[in-house]
Amino acid sequence: MRVELISVGTELLLGDIVNTNTAYLSKELAALGISVYRQTTIGDNSERLLQTLDAAFSENDTVIITGGLGPTDDDITKECVGQYFGRDFYFHEYSWVKILERLTRSGRNIITDNNKKQAMIPEGAIVLENFCGTAPGIIIEEDNRRIILMPGPPREMKDMFEKSVRPYLQKLSTNKFVSKYVRFYGIGESLLETKIKHILDNQTNPTLALYAKTGEVLLRITASASTFEEAEELIVQQLKEIEELVGEYIYLIGDEDISSSQTELHSVVANLLIENNLTLSIAESLTGGLLTSMLVEKSGISNSLLEGIVCYSNDSKINALGVKEQTLERFGAVSEQTTREMAEGVARRLNSDFAVVTTGIAGPNRDGSNKPVGLVYIGLYSKGKVDVVECLFTGDRELIRTRTCTRALDELRKIILKSL
């Protein structure tokens, strides 16, 4: 099966709306072992949509369209598809009942005639119920070709794909597909690709795909087999080979739920703390509470996270953490010596098992010293010992702060694992 994704909507071409649908669908289809040949975005224009359908079916057997299923005159997708396949339309009573129910629940007291447009269905089509909106989805099959229409709003589209389209596509193949995701920290995409290049070059089943994240790399491994168990075993064998080559950079292996975020380090660290009944204190200068906020995303962290202090000023470092004035005067706030005293001070306040602190220069300007923008110190306290990591990050202010947090989390992860 070869697929073309078509997104319909002038607002997409104008940049008024960011097209997240194609990224989601490409990823979901890849997990099913389905190749996406091309992605196309067009405006609300019937002639161009018909031309696009001609081009799409000349090279693919399956077309998936999102958008253009609304009740207004500029929603032309369904009508163009009906024209393309030479189908008449009929009024689908069940869809109309569901549309009325949803409009009534939303407080609409006046139902206009154009709402009935969404209940008009091409003859012979499979109707997909929309559980989140009013526009039903449609599948038309003809001469070993198929076209799938889904609404444009991402929430509606995703729900319809998961409940109706994915099961439909899975039935078209006798194989079972399984995907696993591997998250790496401490190695860039290009270097990771180089280290596993012979695997990437010779891949057949499983298939592999690399995705760059902010300071991290995500690897998707997808295997197909006659049973889920066989596909799982293929992935296990592939993982063994990858772990032998770059296992030191792997911090998490899981299913799709770990794939969408920029990082999962905060979840990994939070789980380590919670599961092992360990406590943590945090003091942030450079990151200004960002690190604490990331850990707080994890439910249950309150049992482990004793406190998070934002000590942006020197006075705060002195009064809250006990950093010596002489240290600040001699070495400055951005220094190994100050970082060390910050870590000792915040750990001592509530006698936590671990502590992590950050200080540095996020920019865009220097702090009056000759130290460069991007210079960062991360302090880690464990069992009475303090380790300080010096980093030099590039990027804008936000990126430097974000990279500091992920590096701090990774260092904390490693030091916790070492203590267990």
Side-chain angles (χ1 to χ4, degrees):
M1 184 187 302
R2 202 156 88 157
V3 174
E4 177 155 338
L5 301 177
I6 300 176
S7 304
V8 178
T10 302
E11 68 276 9
L12 297 172
L13 291 177
L14 295 175
D16 292 334
I17 296 177
V18 177
N19 187 359
T20 60
N21 287 344
T22 53
Y24 170 83
L25 289 171
S26 294
K27 183 177 175 182
E28 292 296 323
L29 293 170
L32 293 172
I34 297 172
S35 173
V36 175
Y37 180 70
R38 183 166 54 206
Q39 300 175 359
T40 304
T41 302
I42 65 168
D44 302 306
N45 182 284
S46 298
E47 183 179 351
R48 285 199 292 272
L49 179 52
L50 289 169
Q51 292 172 350
T52 301
L53 289 175
D54 267 332
F57 278 117
S58 70
E59 298 172 300
N60 305 281
D61 54 25
T62 303
V63 172
I64 299 177
I65 303 181
T66 56
L69 299 181
T72 59
D73 289 341
D74 62 348
D75 292 306
I76 45 85
T77 298
K78 186 169 51 178
E79 290 71 22
C80 286
V81 169
Q83 179 182 340
Y84 185 83
F85 284 97
R87 304 289 180 97
D88 292 327
F89 284 78
Y90 71 99
F91 187 71
H92 193 249
E93 292 288 351
Y94 180 81
S95 292
W96 179 237
V97 170
K98 293 299 178 181
I99 290 169
L100 287 176
E101 287 178 356
R102 181 161 289 278
L103 291 175
T104 302
R105 285 200 304 270
S106 66
R108 291 276 294 276
N109 296 319
I110 300 176
I111 309 300
T112 56
D113 286 341
N114 62 357
N115 288 119
K116 292 184 178 180
K117 176 185 175 184
Q118 292 183 302
M120 299 300 295
I121 304 296
E123 293 282 355
I126 300 169
V127 181
L128 309 177
E129 185 170 348
N130 187 339
F131 295 96
C132 299
T134 56
I138 291 169
I139 299 176
I140 295 177
E141 300 170 320
E142 184 176 293
D143 299 330
N144 296 317
R145 300 180 300 172
R146 65 193 60 83
I147 190 164
I148 301 170
L149 312 184
M150 290 188 288
R155 178 170 171 268
E156 297 179 34
M157 183 277 296
K158 290 179 182 179
D159 186 77
M160 186 176 291
F161 182 89
E162 291 169 4
K163 291 177 178 175
S164 301
V165 177
R166 182 192 284 126
Y168 167 81
L169 294 172
Q170 287 174 327
K171 288 179 182 178
L172 298 177
S173 173
T174 57
N175 279 354
K176 307 298 182 184
F177 293 89
V178 175
S179 291
K180 292 291 182 183
Y181 294 84
V182 187
R183 301 202 69 126
F184 297 82
Y185 184 85
I187 185 170
E189 183 183 15
S190 58
L191 181 55
L192 177 58
E193 181 184 46
T194 299
K195 286 183 175 291
I196 63 171
K197 193 173 191 309
H198 68 284
I199 300 176
L200 295 171
D201 288 345
N202 297 293
Q203 62 178 301
T204 52
N205 184 30
T207 60
L208 288 77
L210 291 172
Y211 304 92
K213 300 287 186 177
T214 302
E216 298 186 16
V217 185
L218 179 73
L219 172 67
R220 192 201 74 238
I221 307 174
T222 299
S224 64
S226 57
T227 67
F228 285 116
E229 291 75 16
E230 291 174 1
E232 290 273 7
E233 182 57 30
L234 287 171
I235 289 179
V236 168
Q237 295 305 315
Q238 185 68 89
L239 275 171
K240 286 181 180 178
E241 185 177 2
I242 292 170
E243 286 174 332
E244 289 176 0
L245 295 169
V246 287
E248 63 188 293
Y249 303 106
I250 295 173
Y251 75 84
L252 185 62
I253 299 172
D255 299 321
E256 185 182 357
D257 57 352
I258 73 162
S259 66
S260 58
S261 62
Q262 289 299 318
T263 184
E264 288 293 323
L265 278 166
H266 57 300
S267 294
V268 171
V269 169
N271 285 334
L272 282 172
L273 292 167
I274 295 167
E275 291 168 5
N276 293 284
N277 296 314
L278 299 169
T279 57
L280 174 69
S281 297
I282 302 174
E284 302 180 65
S285 181
L286 165 80
T287 48
L290 181 60
L291 178 57
T292 303
S293 178
M294 291 172 71
L295 285 169
V296 167
E297 289 181 17
K298 178 68 177 179
S299 176
I301 193 62
S302 59
N303 293 325
S304 294
L305 180 57
L306 300 185
E307 67 177 347
I309 299 174
V310 177
C311 49
Y312 217 70
S313 69
N314 285 351
D315 285 343
S316 178
K317 293 178 178 66
I318 294 167
N319 296 323
L321 305 181
V323 175
K324 298 183 183 67
E325 289 187 47
Q326 301 94 307
T327 303
L328 290 164
E329 290 173 359
R330 182 177 178 184
F331 301 104
V334 182
S335 65
E336 177 184 346
Q337 293 80 1
T338 295
T339 305
R340 189 174 299 277
E341 292 185 17
M342 287 173 65
E344 292 170 345
V346 75
R348 184 170 55 244
R349 281 171 58 91
L350 295 177
N351 194 31
S352 57
D353 298 313
F354 297 92
V356 58
V357 305
T358 64
T359 185
I361 306 172
N365 302 314
R366 296 190 179 192
D367 63 350
S369 68
N370 60 357
K371 298 170 184 175
V373 171
L375 176 64
V376 169
Y377 289 95
I378 298 167
L380 299 122
Y381 172 93
S382 173
K383 297 180 179 179
K385 180 184 176 183
V386 175
D387 293 307
V388 177
V389 178
E390 180 183 314
C391 311
L392 186 60
F393 295 118
T394 58
D396 60 21
R397 184 179 180 83
E398 181 180 357
L399 187 56
I400 289 171
R401 294 174 67 240
T402 300
R403 286 179 170 170
T404 300
C405 288
T406 52
R407 178 64 182 274
L409 287 166
D410 189 58
E411 295 294 338
L412 182 57
R413 176 186 68 90
K414 290 187 289 188
I415 207 166
I416 293 172
L417 289 172
K418 188 177 179 181
S419 72
L420 297 178

